[in-house]
Amino acid sequence: MLDVLQISDPVAVFALVAFLILLAPIVMGRWQLPGTIGLLLAGAVLGPNALGVLARDQSFVLFGTVGLLYIMFTAALEIDMVVLKRSKFHSIVFGLFTFAIPQGVGTLVGHYVLGFSWPAAILLASLFASHTLLAYPIASRLGIARNTAVTTAVGGTIITDTLALLVLAVIAGSVRGEVDDHFWYRLGASLGLYVFAILYGLPKLARWFFRHVGRDGVTEFVFVLAVVFGCASLSHAAGSEPIVGAFLAGLALNRLIPHNSTLMNRIQFTGEAIFVPFFLLSVGMLLDVRVFLADWRALIITVAMVATVTLTKWLAARLSSLVLGYSPAQARVVFGLSVAQAAATLAATVVGYDIGLFDDAVVNGAIVMILVTCVIAPWQVDRYGRLLIQDTDELAVAAPGERQRILTALSERAPLSHLLDLALLLRKPDHEQPIYPMTVVQDNGNTTTQVAVAEQVLGQAVSYLSQAEVPATPLTRIDFNLASGVLKARRELNATEVLMGWSEQSRAPEFFFGSLMENLLRDRDFSLVVLRPREPLNTTRRMLLAIPPEADLEPGFQAGIELVKRLSHQLSAPILVLTEEAGFERMFKRIRSIRPGCDLVPGKLARWAGLRRVLQEHFRDGDLIVLLGARQGGLAWKPAMTRLPEELAETFPKANLLVVYAGEPDRDDTLSIVNPEPATRMA
């Protein structure tokens, strides 16, 4: 250690770390390696066991621990719950394979090759059985986070880590003499209560908070941090480890934080910019090469540990892939996600050292094992994850010529956050198109003040969207009426969806769903989505989708269902499909064939006229009512459809209500658009 080189000024330390975070991806990119490897190597070279420029003080330990918990939390947060539910058998199979094979082989290696006692060999094997999702941010960045193989690896993590930590608790308890007749009862009761409190109680608390307290991004973000680290800190009382608590907190909040939301972007940005890099640097600082030069036994133990964990984790991933029918690339990605060692490994190593089962050689061997596996993991996921991009079972990649442009009509009389959240949820990230917030100013001869107010509203919208890292192109139109202004802007942009908010406080429902809606729906080349917000969309528990009879025979049926299912997919909310019994099987089969996948529950109606009564029977707090509207002249249209949205709003005054009029661009009988004068320049 060269103390003379050590930097003690905290400002200089943070500046150096910031430069390392900046330069690591750039330097590693020249060799086509992930930036995480550069941070690990930087920590090893600049750490206290090499040049000594950076000391692994309390700040690095703190931020490193936070970064580790952040990885586990975001991994659970980004799980596609629909895919996880559908492939829970896959997660169980992989979780058992990736625990049993390293645990069994590691125990034999520890006892017969390294000469450890049986308790020490079993505890050593638990180091191999556990793993850390260190490379998960790479999978997320590549866009394969919801691939079945990735979801399986993430789901299996909680199984193998929990079992490995149970081994740790039992071995440590037996050495300390704590294993008695009541040990298993105490452990089972505490863990059961802990898991139940997080998975059942935390979603209720979070839903209440988002509804009644969380009105700005900072408050919501701080709330998430508080509950995640609160759950992690209580893990020891339940006989577990903080990583398990952070993972469970991510599962509990999964449905309440949509993947495309502003809050999710804040969580990912903070972790990838600060916490996770600190964790990687702190792990690299643990390496001490001098130990191996002074003790050949330490070198033998290290080689045995690295070889065993690499071989057994590869074998577990390979066998799981053969059983589950995964491709070779998927098997390598699963291996990359499951080979990295960190949190549970360090926990078991420290406990084993404290109770006298491990010596300095095992501790340093564990550190080298962590460093080597943390280099292998991101390289494997980055290399083979790119091969999965074309095969990912997430939302279909945009085909050449396919496009999406969302036009969002805003007003100073209604809150904009709900409507912009809806735009973010419906937007396809792979299209990389901006969202177009717009306002229409009525041309009454003196528009200066109104334009100024409209530009202020658009400024707030652009700021809101920028927090989610979504580009925005604001538009202000001056026109004689709202419908004409929206339609002109829609035609100029060739927008595919127009989103509008409906608030009874700003205009009468009779007007909104009367002449205004009639004028807007004359243009069949776009989908019109109308939202009556009452609560934040992320608190949605379930969607009640009402579809009029014979709607599946309309040319825009697929486009409308795609929008609804995309919203369900983002909210992880199941859909209860309500339509007439006649033709239900035909319609339900077609709905299931439309991507993306989501949970669908059949709900038949004897007659369409009884829709309101059936909705009242099924409606529960937190439900989002969705009506697939029908355009005049179509097979599904009836005169009563005009007043139906207003009637539903009166029947359910406190519920979120969404009305979707699907676009029919290929229809031949397109009616003329209101005010068909040539479009003018945007003001």
Side-chain angles (χ1 to χ4, degrees), residues 221-289:
F221 179 72
V222 173
F223 169 77
V224 170
L225 287 184
V227 297
V228 169
F229 293 107
C231 292
S233 65
L234 294 174
S235 60
H236 288 298
S240 184
E241 288 295 319
I243 56 171
V244 176
F247 191 88
L248 291 175
L251 290 179
L253 296 177
N254 183 286
R255 295 181 182 272
L256 294 167
I257 305 179
H259 187 69
N260 288 352
S261 65
T262 303
L263 180 56
M264 174 66 86
N265 182 70
R266 288 192 178 100
I267 292 172
Q268 292 176 328
F269 174 81
T270 305
E272 294 180 9
I274 300 178
F275 294 142
V276 175
F278 264 96
F279 164 69
L280 296 171
L281 287 171
S282 66
V283 171
M285 291 179 181
L286 294 173
L287 180 63
D288 189 356
V289 181

Side-chain angles (χ1 to χ4, degrees), residues 82-94 152 159:
V82 176
V83 176
L84 181 63
K85 182 179 179 181
R86 192 180 303 152
S87 60
K88 58 186 176 183
F89 173 74
H90 290 208
S91 296
I92 294 173
V93 168
F94 172 68
T152 297
I159 296 175

Side-chain angles (χ1 to χ4, degrees), residues 146 254-261 394-395 424-429 564-573 596-598:
R146 296 191 173 187
N254 183 286
R255 295 181 182 272
L256 294 167
I257 305 179
H259 187 69
N260 288 352
S261 65
E394 169 57 11
L395 300 177
L424 291 172
L425 294 172
L426 294 179
R427 178 177 178 266
K428 299 178 182 178
V564 175
K565 293 187 73 174
R566 193 180 308 139
L567 181 61
S568 168
H569 190 84
Q570 286 292 329
L571 295 173
S572 297
C598 61

Side-chain angles (χ1 to χ4, degrees), residues 593-610:
S593 67
I594 297 174
R595 302 186 72 177
C598 61
D599 283 341
L600 297 172
V601 181
K604 301 177 182 178
L605 300 174
R607 293 176 60 252
W608 177 252

Side-chain angles (χ1 to χ4, degrees), residues 64-145:
T65 303
V66 171
L68 174 59
L69 298 179
Y70 226 81
I71 290 175
M72 298 300 295
F73 169 63
T74 54
L77 203 61
E78 293 190 19
I79 289 178
D80 188 334
M81 299 303 290
V82 176
V83 176
L84 181 63
K85 182 179 179 181
R86 192 180 303 152
S87 60
K88 58 186 176 183
F89 173 74
H90 290 208
S91 296
I92 294 173
V93 168
F94 172 68
L96 294 178
F97 269 133
T98 199
F99 169 78
I101 295 176
Q103 183 69 47
V105 175
T107 301
L108 297 178
V109 170
H111 183 71
Y112 291 107
V113 177
L114 300 179
F116 288 2
S117 64
W118 281 113
I122 294 173
L123 185 58
L124 179 70
S126 72
L127 273 63
F128 311 144
S130 65
H131 63 252
T132 297
L133 293 170
L134 175 90
Y136 182 83
I138 296 176
S140 177
R141 214 160 31 239
L142 290 175
I144 60 171

Side-chain angles (χ1 to χ4, degrees), residues 391-409:
D391 301 325
T392 181
D393 53 11
E394 169 57 11
L395 300 177
V397 179
E402 186 182 357
R403 56 172 177 73
Q404 182 192 41
R405 289 182 181 174
I406 298 178
L407 181 66
T408 308

